[in-house]
Amino acid sequence: SGEAPQVPVASRKSGTVFEKRLIEAYITENGRDPVTDEELSPDDLVELKTSRIVRPRPPTLTSIPSLLSVFQNEWDALALEAYTLRQQLTQTRQELSTALYQHDAAVRVIARLSRERDEAREALSGLSVRGGPATNGDAMQVDSPGLSNQVIAKIEATQERLSKTRRKRPVPADWVTADALNSFAPVEKSKTPYTEARSLAVNATCDAVLLGGSNGKVGVYSVSDKAITEELDVGSGRVTDTLWAESRAIAATSTGSVKIFESGQEIASFSGHSGEVTALAVHPSGDILASVGVDKSYIFYDLTSNTVATQVLTDAALTTAGFHPDGHLFAAGGVDGQIKVYDVKNGANAANFDSTGPIVAISFSENGTWLASAAKGSSIVSIWDLRKAAVIHTIDVASPISAVQWEFTGQFLAIAGPSGLVVQQYSKSSKEWSEPLKNAVPSVAVGWGLEANSIYCLDAQGFISLLKAQ
């Protein structure tokens, strides 16, 4: 105040004497000692006993001494403010220096981790699995650079042979027609012991159906005997998928193994996946097998030597798989809602198709340009044009879908679900879609019979239903 204090108090923190009303106002506003900048409260003030000081007459600005006094007070206030600003500047500089040091250290750590991640990804992208005949489930060594020249030559020969004849291939004379499909109805229903079976595979001669359950068993259902005539033991775990490769029965399990049987005997066993194997597919040549799994990889097997040909890592867990009719492309559906299409020969990602949810079923059409897919919980089948990389048609069956399957000529698409079976037809002449069959038989898997004149359906209770024309 520039005046002798009327009620002097001393600060316990700095020992400085202040005017009580002024220091209390300062504490209320700042909460600190103006000298040491330590925290200060009214309780830290000690009142001093002094003799009564007569307040001098307030100065006026009518004399030089009073003006000098006012100027002195203003100068003192500016000096104090400058001192406070220097303190704050010093503290801010220290905090900024610490923050810059921590940021520089974090950037160095992130750069090192990014480099290690990129090196690991580059190393993993080049990994493939190679092994000899694996009849006892031994782990494979990850050291093969890719498919062998013999396998690549087989893929190229198959593509050249099939791509030349596929479009010119006429519809067989005894093939099913839309009129015949209109009269399809269940004619047989057989109970099997596989109450939790989720896959069904019809062999080439359509006289045997392969299916498996949760007890580590795969059953061979004889169409003529209408019963399970042979049972194959795949060990522990649930059977997740089955298929035929000519006369060989192949099964995948939830424990990550793939087993191959011939004449009732296990001839090969693979355990290249680090988790559940979710789907199998066989190449049009009949000599290459593919498996996909939750470990985000797919594996190709050479069935001529019962060896692993290559393993390719992807960016998501895979749920379903299929080969293009010409054999040069491989498609896999993922839990990320993408259908990933790869070049079979080198594993390059040729295209990605985005769906609405995890993919549960895919099927290539024999016309070579279409791919049907369904997402988990969806009632819509999407028809993708591989040339346009876009959906050209959708089919809404009004209930969740479990499986989709084109037949050999590419005219009819079977759509299976717990609410029933639907068959859609595409007419090349009219370029229109129609629905020749809709039946309430519940299905988790579906397969076409001989010349598509019959359809096999598997329900969740393990019943196999045979639909034929009445």
Side-chain angles (χ1 to χ4, degrees):
S1 66
E3 300 175 3
Q6 297 298 309
V7 183
V9 292
S11 169
R12 296 180 186 272
K13 300 296 178 76
S14 63
T16 307
V17 178
F18 303 96
E19 174 66 41
K20 183 176 182 180
R21 62 181 177 81
L22 297 180
I23 190 62
E24 286 180 344
Y26 186 91
I27 292 174
T28 301
E29 182 178 356
N30 300 290
R32 294 183 175 276
D33 191 299
V35 177
T36 63
D37 201 36
E38 296 179 82
E39 291 187 358
L40 187 67
S41 67
D43 296 333
D44 294 324
L45 301 177
V46 179
E47 189 169 344
L48 302 178
K49 295 182 179 180
T50 60
S51 58
R52 180 68 178 175
I53 299 176
V54 178
R55 180 186 298 271
R57 180 178 297 175
T60 63
L61 302 179
T62 58
S63 64
I64 291 177
S66 64
L67 288 173
L68 291 175
S69 176
V70 171
F71 293 154
Q72 180 66 48
N73 292 339
E74 290 296 328
W75 171 259
D76 292 343
L78 288 174
L80 178 60
E81 182 179 3
Y83 175 73
T84 304
L85 290 175
R86 288 195 192 98
Q87 280 186 321
Q88 293 176 350
L89 177 60
T90 302
Q91 182 179 359
T92 302
R93 282 178 174 175
Q94 291 176 346
E95 293 175 354
L96 178 60
S97 176
T98 303
L100 289 175
Y101 175 78
Q102 293 175 344
H103 177 267
D104 182 66
V107 168
R108 291 176 182 273
V109 172
I110 292 172
R112 177 176 59 81
L113 293 176
S114 298
R115 184 177 66 254
E116 293 177 355
R117 179 204 63 190
D118 294 339
E119 291 174 354
R121 283 181 174 177
E122 183 177 359
L124 288 173
S125 65
L127 291 180
S128 59
V129 181
R130 183 183 67 191
T135 58
N136 56 1
D138 292 338
M140 304 299 161
Q141 301 232 346
V142 183
D143 60 358
S144 173
L147 294 175
S148 66
N149 293 332
Q150 292 85 350
V151 174
I152 293 176
K154 184 179 300 181
I155 294 169
E156 292 175 343
T158 301
Q159 179 185 1
E160 183 178 3
R161 172 174 55 86
L162 295 178
S163 62
K164 287 181 178 179
T165 60
R166 178 171 35 79
R167 289 189 175 275
K168 299 178 182 179
R169 185 175 61 205
V171 177
D174 296 331
W175 207 258
V176 70
T177 63
D179 292 338
L181 279 169
N182 278 323
S183 63
F184 266 38
V187 295
E188 296 175 9
K189 187 173 183 180
S190 303
K191 173 67 175 175
T192 72
Y194 312 108
T195 56
E196 297 184 13
R198 291 295 180 269
S199 66
L200 175 147
V202 183
N203 66 354
T205 56
C206 299
D207 59 0
V209 178
L210 200 64
L211 65 158
S214 60
N215 59 353
K217 303 291 184 181
V218 175
V220 180
Y221 176 83
S222 171
V223 174
S224 58
D225 295 337
K226 303 177 184 178
I228 299 293
T229 57
E230 188 177 9
E231 197 168 59
L232 311 174
D233 188 0
V234 298
S236 61
R238 174 173 48 87
V239 178
T240 56
D241 200 9
T242 56
L243 59 74
W244 292 94
E246 298 179 348
S247 62
R248 288 164 289 190
I250 305 174
T253 70
S254 59
T255 59
S257 64
V258 175
K259 294 182 180 290
I260 304 175
F261 298 85
E262 189 166 19
S263 301
Q265 300 297 317
E266 182 181 313
I267 61 172
S269 176
F270 305 95
S271 56
H273 288 283
S274 60
E276 178 178 328
V277 182
T278 52
L280 300 170
V282 66
H283 190 264
S285 66
D287 294 332
I288 301 172
L289 172 70
S291 65
V292 299
V294 297
D295 61 351
K296 304 182 181 181
S297 75
Y298 66 83
I299 302 178
F300 289 162
Y301 310 86
D302 186 351
L303 296 181
T304 59
S305 58
N306 287 334
T307 57
V308 174
T310 189
Q311 182 171 14
V312 178
L313 298 173
T314 69
D315 58 356
L318 304 178
T319 55
T320 184
F323 281 100
H324 186 274
D326 293 342
H328 65 297
L329 296 176
F330 175 73
V335 296
D336 59 352
Q338 274 193 343
I339 303 169
K340 310 168 194 300
V341 182
Y342 298 94
D343 187 310
V344 174
K345 293 183 291 185
N346 55 29
N349 188 198
N352 288 325
F353 302 146
D354 293 321
S355 186
T356 58
I359 309 300
V360 296
I362 61 173
S363 179
F364 279 102
S365 170
E366 282 291 327
N367 66 13
T369 58
W370 288 357
L371 173 69
S373 70
K376 184 177 181 180
S378 174
S379 63
I380 296 177
V381 175
S382 298
I383 308 298
W384 299 85
D385 191 316
L386 301 179
R387 300 164 298 183
K388 301 177 182 178
V391 175
I392 60 169
H393 185 67
T394 57
I395 304 168
D396 192 348
V397 297
S399 63
I401 299 167
S402 302
V404 294
Q405 186 68 53
W406 290 95
E407 44 74 56
F408 178 69
T409 66
Q411 299 179 83
F412 304 105
L413 175 66
I415 305 168
S419 297
L421 173 70
V422 173
V423 174
Q424 287 273 325
Q425 179 190 15
Y426 177 74
S427 172
K428 293 181 180 179
S429 58
S430 64
K431 300 186 182 301
E432 292 182 352
W433 289 83
S434 60
E435 188 175 275
L437 175 63
K438 186 172 185 178
N439 195 284
V441 56
S443 309
V444 295
V446 64
W448 290 93
L450 187 63
E451 296 177 335
N453 282 297
S454 59
I455 300 176
Y456 295 91
C457 296
L458 174 69
D459 67 17
Q461 285 70 44
F463 285 92
I464 294 180
S465 298
L466 174 62
L467 283 74
K468 298 181 71 174
Q470 294 284 17

